[in-house]
Amino acid sequence: MARGVSFLPDYSGRMHRVVIIGSGFGGLFAAKALKRADVEITLIAKTTHHLFQPLLYQVATGVLSEGEIAPATREILRRQSNAQVLLGLVEDVDLNNRVVKWRFHNDHHETPYDTLIVAAGAGQSYFGNDHFRTFAPGMKTIDDALELRARILKSFEIAEFTVDPEERQRLLTFAVVGAGPTGVEMAGQIRELAASTLRNEFRSIDPATARVVLIDGADQVLPPFGPRLGRKTKETLEKLGVEVRLGSIVTDLDDDGLTLRTKDGATERIEAACKVWAAGVQGSELGKVLTEQSGAELDRAGRVVVDEKLSIPGHPEVFVVGDMAAVPGVPGVAQGAIQGARYAANVIKARLEHRPEPAAFSYVDKGSMATISKFAAVTQIGKLQLTGFIAWLAWLFLHLLYIAGFKQRITTLLSWFITFVSNGRAQRVVTNQQMVGRLALERLGSGSSGKLIHGEELS
């Protein structure tokens, strides 16, 4: 008997049940890889869409709409007859009885499985300073991007009727914490928005005078890209008008601004109304649920330490992929999730067909990319390093390739064309609900949304 088949349950008379948690790159690509397998797939996710997270910053800065980077998961899988999509928040997994426990608002459900793929992703890490979250949203979800869009654009709106020069300057100061790809892209886009898109639209203020500060504790921007590309990126950002503060750690952050500490121990206060947190990730809380029952470990970022088959101790039927999995040498990027998902699917198919399982999971690094501004990007593919317009074209092509759905690719391309040719941005609608919705729900507590919808009193 092929290795790995002996633990499979007796499911004679029914199809093998594969439950997938999450609709990100890991969850979606796992489902698609099992399209022709003799399995019954149930994909449970807390959103109805598949999010192309690398372009969230463009939603936050008005370049793209949320629909262009987040097609409906149900639409993507509509022709896959062996896959069912369910909307719900997974709260627990019973590993011994092989049951996933989830809820939609306050309606609770249980879904049994034979094989489980956990791809619930990761959230923002504030490195133990969770109170920063109130004033500095992360960049992990559509809600995050829409909230940031509201915060960014409303800073300009409020500055227009603010008389006090110091308060006006605070409103026109934008601090981005974290100089990885997301932070670099965000800082560049805010600066372009202020200097180009909003030009001549205000009467009391000049948006081009807005101050954008990029902050990181490292010695260079984009550390994984190497010193040369990091230096080129910093130079391009500074030419654009972004202030880059390296070797600086945020020690305090509140409504008015943030405090930095440099490596020599000096402190500095930056008064800024709008703060963006793009530093660090924290694995899904489901990781703790899995480790408590299996004996697996969590790394410092809350990711589950998996074995060479991406499984957890004592439960080879449970795979953890994507940002939730701690795998040496595998970065928390889309390619890591996609390759892990496809590998898990191949193992499942091999077990069901009584074939030898694939060898240990091995990640293939296909390179890294980041945009800095219009027509400027950096790309690293193996030893090949590109900068400027050529790197930007490569970034453009690759991101179009990985956006799910033909309609989304066409509308994204049209939005990019409008932005790159005219400096205009069509997605600038913001509401108070976008800005305060997250904070209101957090204050009301878990389960409050269901009570609100049904008109129940909140205790």
Side-chain angles (χ1 to χ4, degrees):
M1 183 176 290
R3 179 186 173 191
V5 175
S6 58
F7 70 83
L8 288 174
D10 179 13
Y11 55 93
S12 56
R14 62 171 174 80
M15 296 181 70
H16 186 82
R17 300 167 300 188
V18 178
V19 172
I20 301 173
I21 301 174
S23 59
F25 286 105
L28 182 65
F29 277 81
K32 293 174 72 173
L34 292 169
K35 181 176 182 178
R36 292 179 175 81
D38 190 23
V39 297
E40 178 184 279
I41 302 169
T42 303
L43 188 152
I44 307 172
K46 62 183 179 181
T47 67
T48 61
H49 57 263
H50 163 67
L51 176 61
F52 190 77
Q53 201 174 82
L55 290 178
L56 262 181
Y57 75 96
Q58 294 201 2
V59 174
T61 52
V63 177
L64 298 176
S65 72
E66 57 270 32
E68 288 167 331
I69 69 164
T73 310
R74 194 175 298 282
E75 180 183 8
I76 298 172
L77 298 176
R78 67 188 184 280
R79 291 190 176 91
Q80 188 167 332
S81 59
N82 69 341
Q84 179 185 26
V85 179
L86 298 176
L87 175 62
L89 174 65
V90 175
E91 294 185 313
D92 195 11
V93 178
D94 185 340
L95 294 181
N96 291 329
N97 294 308
R98 300 190 180 186
V99 172
V100 173
K101 300 179 181 181
W102 56 281
R103 67 178 174 88
F104 175 73
H105 293 314
N106 296 329
D107 298 327
H108 295 263
H109 305 268
E110 294 186 356
T111 301
Y113 66 86
D114 299 311
T115 296
L116 177 65
I117 300 177
V118 186
Q124 205 72 58
S125 173
Y126 290 82
F127 308 108
N129 298 294
D130 288 347
H131 57 288
F132 289 1
R133 187 190 311 272
T134 299
F135 311 104
M139 185 72 77
K140 293 298 179 183
T141 68
I142 288 292
D143 287 334
D144 291 339
L146 294 178
E147 179 183 347
L148 280 168
R149 183 197 293 175
R151 285 176 178 255
I152 292 167
L153 292 176
K154 287 204 171 184
S155 290
F156 290 101
E157 295 293 339
I158 299 170
E160 173 74 354
F161 60 75
T162 298
V163 178
D164 181 11
E166 290 187 2
E167 176 61 11
R168 178 178 283 181
Q169 184 58 56
R170 188 185 76 86
L171 288 164
L172 293 177
T173 300
F174 302 84
V176 181
V177 182
T182 299
V184 166
E185 291 163 342
M186 216 30 214
Q189 282 299 315
I190 293 174
R191 186 62 206 148
E192 284 196 339
L193 174 71
S196 300
T197 304
L198 301 181
R199 185 175 51 190
N200 300 325
E201 292 191 5
F202 293 83
R203 299 298 174 260
S204 298
I205 64 170
D206 178 5
T209 62
R211 181 187 182 195
V212 181
V213 187
L214 180 63
I215 303 158
D216 200 288
D219 294 326
Q220 71 163 75
V221 298
L222 301 176
F225 285 66
R228 177 178 173 271
L229 292 184
R231 184 174 62 255
K232 288 282 187 181
T233 301
K234 182 174 181 290
E235 291 172 357
T236 304
L237 284 169
E238 290 176 337
K239 287 179 182 177
L240 196 64
V242 176
E243 297 180 31
V244 181
R245 301 291 184 89
L246 300 175
S248 300
I249 298 174
V250 177
T251 58
D252 193 20
L253 189 151
D254 54 36
D255 184 36
D256 294 326
L258 63 169
T259 303
L260 311 182
R261 185 181 69 240
T262 60
K263 289 187 175 180
D264 60 6
T267 61
E268 178 186 0
R269 177 73 179 177
I270 297 178
E271 301 296 325
C274 185
K275 283 82 63 179
V276 181
W277 193 270
V281 295
Q282 183 71 27
S284 166
E285 293 179 357
L286 280 180
K288 186 176 180 181
V289 172
L290 297 178
T291 58
E292 287 176 347
Q293 296 181 60
S294 67
E297 296 180 356
L298 293 176
D299 70 359
R300 293 177 60 185
R303 299 175 300 178
V304 181
V305 178
V306 295
D307 62 21
E308 63 179 13
K309 295 295 181 73
L310 305 183
S311 293
I312 57 178
H315 294 275
E317 77 283 0
V318 178
F319 298 90
V320 183
V321 301
D323 289 345
M324 273 194 70
V327 184
V330 181
V333 296
Q335 270 301 319
I338 292 170
Q339 292 180 33
R342 288 172 172 166
Y343 174 83
N346 287 336
V347 173
I348 293 169
K349 288 186 285 188
R351 290 172 178 175
L352 293 174
E353 296 167 7
H354 297 270
R355 294 184 286 105
E357 296 178 13
F361 174 70
S362 178
Y363 174 68
V364 179
D365 187 355
K366 295 187 177 182
S368 302
M369 296 180 172
T371 55
I372 307 168
S373 61
K374 184 168 63 174
F375 308 138
V378 290
T379 300
Q380 180 171 284
I381 305 174
K383 294 183 178 180
L384 178 64
Q385 294 185 338
L386 301 174
T387 61
F389 185 69
I390 295 176
W392 181 81
L393 285 178
W395 173 91
L396 199 75
F397 173 77
L398 187 68
H399 282 67
L400 273 178
L401 188 66
Y402 276 101
I403 290 176
F406 177 75
K407 293 195 299 285
Q408 280 71 26
R409 292 189 186 117
I410 294 300
T411 55
T412 296
L413 190 59
L414 288 174
S415 295
W416 280 346
F417 179 78
I418 291 170
T419 301
F420 300 145
V421 171
S422 68
N423 290 322
R425 301 179 187 223
Q427 307 302 325
R428 288 169 52 184
V429 175
V430 298
T431 68
N432 282 333
Q433 184 170 304
Q434 290 172 345
M435 191 157 63
V436 303
R438 171 184 64 93
L439 298 174
L441 286 175
E442 286 179 356
R443 182 166 296 185
L444 292 172
S446 178
S448 60
S449 59
K451 292 180 180 179
L452 289 170
I453 288 174
H454 295 298
E456 299 175 15
E457 292 293 330
L458 296 174
S459 56

CSV table of all heavy atoms in Angstrom, one decimal, residues 11-31:
chain,number,residue,atom,x,y,z
A,11,TYR,N,-14.6,5.6,3.7
A,11,TYR,CA,-15.7,6.4,3.2
A,11,TYR,C,-16.4,5.7,2.1
A,11,TYR,O,-16.9,6.4,1.1
A,11,TYR,CB,-15.2,7.8,2.9
A,11,TYR,CG,-14.1,7.8,1.9
A,11,TYR,CD1,-14.3,7.9,0.5
A,11,TYR,CD2,-12.7,7.7,2.3
A,11,TYR,CE1,-13.2,7.9,-0.4
A,11,TYR,CE2,-11.7,7.7,1.4
A,11,TYR,CZ,-11.9,7.8,0.1
A,11,TYR,OH,-10.9,7.8,-0.8
A,12,SER,N,-16.5,4.4,2.1
A,12,SER,CA,-17.1,3.6,1.1
A,12,SER,C,-18.6,4.1,1.0
A,12,SER,O,-19.3,4.3,2.0
A,12,SER,CB,-17.1,2.1,1.4
A,12,SER,OG,-17.6,1.9,2.7
A,13,GLY,N,-19.1,4.2,-0.2
A,13,GLY,CA,-20.4,4.7,-0.4
A,13,GLY,C,-20.6,6.2,-0.5
A,13,GLY,O,-21.7,6.6,-0.8
A,14,ARG,N,-19.5,6.9,-0.3
A,14,ARG,CA,-19.6,8.4,-0.5
A,14,ARG,C,-18.3,8.9,-0.9
A,14,ARG,O,-17.3,8.2,-0.9
A,14,ARG,CB,-20.0,9.1,0.8
A,14,ARG,CG,-19.0,8.9,2.0
A,14,ARG,CD,-19.3,9.7,3.2
A,14,ARG,NE,-18.4,9.4,4.3
A,14,ARG,CZ,-17.2,9.9,4.4
A,14,ARG,NH1,-16.7,10.6,3.5
A,14,ARG,NH2,-16.5,9.6,5.5
A,15,MET,N,-18.3,10.1,-1.4
A,15,MET,CA,-17.0,10.7,-1.9
A,15,MET,C,-16.2,11.2,-0.7
A,15,MET,O,-16.7,11.5,0.4
A,15,MET,CB,-17.3,11.9,-2.8
A,15,MET,CG,-18.1,11.5,-4.1
A,15,MET,SD,-18.4,12.9,-5.2
A,15,MET,CE,-16.7,13.3,-5.7
A,16,HIS,N,-14.9,11.3,-1.0
A,16,HIS,CA,-14.0,11.8,0.0
A,16,HIS,C,-14.2,13.3,0.2
A,16,HIS,O,-14.3,14.1,-0.7
A,16,HIS,CB,-12.5,11.6,-0.5
A,16,HIS,CG,-11.5,11.9,0.5
A,16,HIS,ND1,-11.1,11.1,1.5
A,16,HIS,CD2,-10.7,13.1,0.7
A,16,HIS,CE1,-10.1,11.7,2.3
A,16,HIS,NE2,-9.9,12.9,1.7
A,17,ARG,N,-14.4,13.7,1.5
A,17,ARG,CA,-14.7,15.1,1.8
A,17,ARG,C,-13.5,15.9,2.1
A,17,ARG,O,-12.8,15.6,3.1
A,17,ARG,CB,-15.7,15.1,3.0
A,17,ARG,CG,-17.0,14.4,2.7
A,17,ARG,CD,-17.8,14.2,4.0
A,17,ARG,NE,-17.0,13.4,5.0
A,17,ARG,CZ,-17.5,13.0,6.2
A,17,ARG,NH1,-18.8,13.2,6.5
A,17,ARG,NH2,-16.7,12.3,7.0
A,18,VAL,N,-13.3,16.9,1.3
A,18,VAL,CA,-12.1,17.9,1.5
A,18,VAL,C,-12.7,19.2,1.9
A,18,VAL,O,-13.5,19.8,1.2
A,18,VAL,CB,-11.3,18.0,0.3
A,18,VAL,CG1,-10.2,19.1,0.5
A,18,VAL,CG2,-10.7,16.7,-0.2
A,19,VAL,N,-12.4,19.7,3.1
A,19,VAL,CA,-12.8,21.0,3.6
A,19,VAL,C,-11.6,21.9,3.5
A,19,VAL,O,-10.6,21.6,3.9
A,19,VAL,CB,-13.4,20.9,5.0
A,19,VAL,CG1,-13.7,22.4,5.5
A,19,VAL,CG2,-14.7,20.1,5.0
A,20,ILE,N,-11.9,23.1,2.9
A,20,ILE,CA,-10.8,24.1,2.7
A,20,ILE,C,-11.3,25.3,3.5
A,20,ILE,O,-12.4,25.8,3.3
A,20,ILE,CB,-10.6,24.5,1.2
A,20,ILE,CG1,-10.2,23.2,0.5
A,20,ILE,CG2,-9.6,25.6,1.1
A,20,ILE,CD1,-10.1,23.4,-1.0
A,21,ILE,N,-10.4,25.8,4.4
A,21,ILE,CA,-10.7,27.1,5.1
A,21,ILE,C,-10.0,28.2,4.5
A,21,ILE,O,-8.7,28.2,4.5
A,21,ILE,CB,-10.4,26.9,6.6
A,21,ILE,CG1,-11.1,25.7,7.2
A,21,ILE,CG2,-10.7,28.2,7.4
A,21,ILE,CD1,-10.7,25.4,8.6
A,22,GLY,N,-10.7,29.2,4.0
A,22,GLY,CA,-10.1,30.4,3.4
A,22,GLY,C,-10.2,30.4,1.9
A,22,GLY,O,-10.1,29.4,1.2
A,23,SER,N,-10.4,31.6,1.4
A,23,SER,CA,-10.6,31.8,-0.1
A,23,SER,C,-9.5,32.7,-0.7
A,23,SER,O,-9.6,33.2,-1.8
A,23,SER,CB,-11.9,32.5,-0.4
A,23,SER,OG,-12.0,33.7,0.2
A,24,GLY,N,-8.3,32.7,0.0
A,24,GLY,CA,-7.2,33.4,-0.5
A,24,GLY,C,-6.5,32.6,-1.6
A,24,GLY,O,-7.0,31.6,-2.1
A,25,PHE,N,-5.2,32.9,-1.8
A,25,PHE,CA,-4.5,32.2,-2.8
A,25,PHE,C,-4.4,30.7,-2.5
A,25,PHE,O,-4.5,29.8,-3.3
A,25,PHE,CB,-3.1,32.7,-3.0
A,25,PHE,CG,-3.0,34.0,-3.8
A,25,PHE,CD1,-2.8,35.2,-3.1
A,25,PHE,CD2,-3.2,34.1,-5.1
A,25,PHE,CE1,-2.8,36.4,-3.8
A,25,PHE,CE2,-3.2,35.3,-5.8
A,25,PHE,CZ,-3.0,36.5,-5.2
A,26,GLY,N,-4.1,30.4,-1.2
A,26,GLY,CA,-4.0,29.0,-0.8
A,26,GLY,C,-5.3,28.2,-0.9
A,26,GLY,O,-5.3,27.2,-1.5
A,27,GLY,N,-6.4,28.8,-0.4
A,27,GLY,CA,-7.6,28.1,-0.5
A,27,GLY,C,-8.1,27.9,-1.9
A,27,GLY,O,-8.6,26.8,-2.3
A,28,LEU,N,-8.1,29.0,-2.7
A,28,LEU,CA,-8.6,29.0,-4.0
A,28,LEU,C,-7.8,28.0,-4.9
A,28,LEU,O,-8.4,27.2,-5.7
A,28,LEU,CB,-8.7,30.4,-4.6
A,28,LEU,CG,-9.2,30.4,-6.0
A,28,LEU,CD1,-10.7,30.1,-6.0
A,28,LEU,CD2,-9.0,31.8,-6.6
A,29,PHE,N,-6.5,28.1,-4.9
A,29,PHE,CA,-5.7,27.3,-5.7
A,29,PHE,C,-5.8,25.8,-5.3
A,29,PHE,O,-5.6,24.9,-6.2
A,29,PHE,CB,-4.3,27.8,-5.8
A,29,PHE,CG,-4.1,28.9,-6.8
A,29,PHE,CD1,-4.4,30.2,-6.5
A,29,PHE,CD2,-3.6,28.6,-8.1
A,29,PHE,CE1,-4.3,31.2,-7.4
A,29,PHE,CE2,-3.5,29.7,-9.0
A,29,PHE,CZ,-3.8,31.0,-8.7
A,30,ALA,N,-6.0,25.5,-4.1
A,30,ALA,CA,-6.2,24.1,-3.6
A,30,ALA,C,-7.4,23.6,-4.2
A,30,ALA,O,-7.5,22.4,-4.7
A,30,ALA,CB,-6.2,24.1,-2.1
A,31,ALA,N,-8.5,24.4,-4.2
A,31,ALA,CA,-9.8,23.9,-4.7
A,31,ALA,C,-9.7,23.7,-6.2
A,31,ALA,O,-10.1,22.6,-6.7
A,31,ALA,CB,-10.9,24.9,-4.4
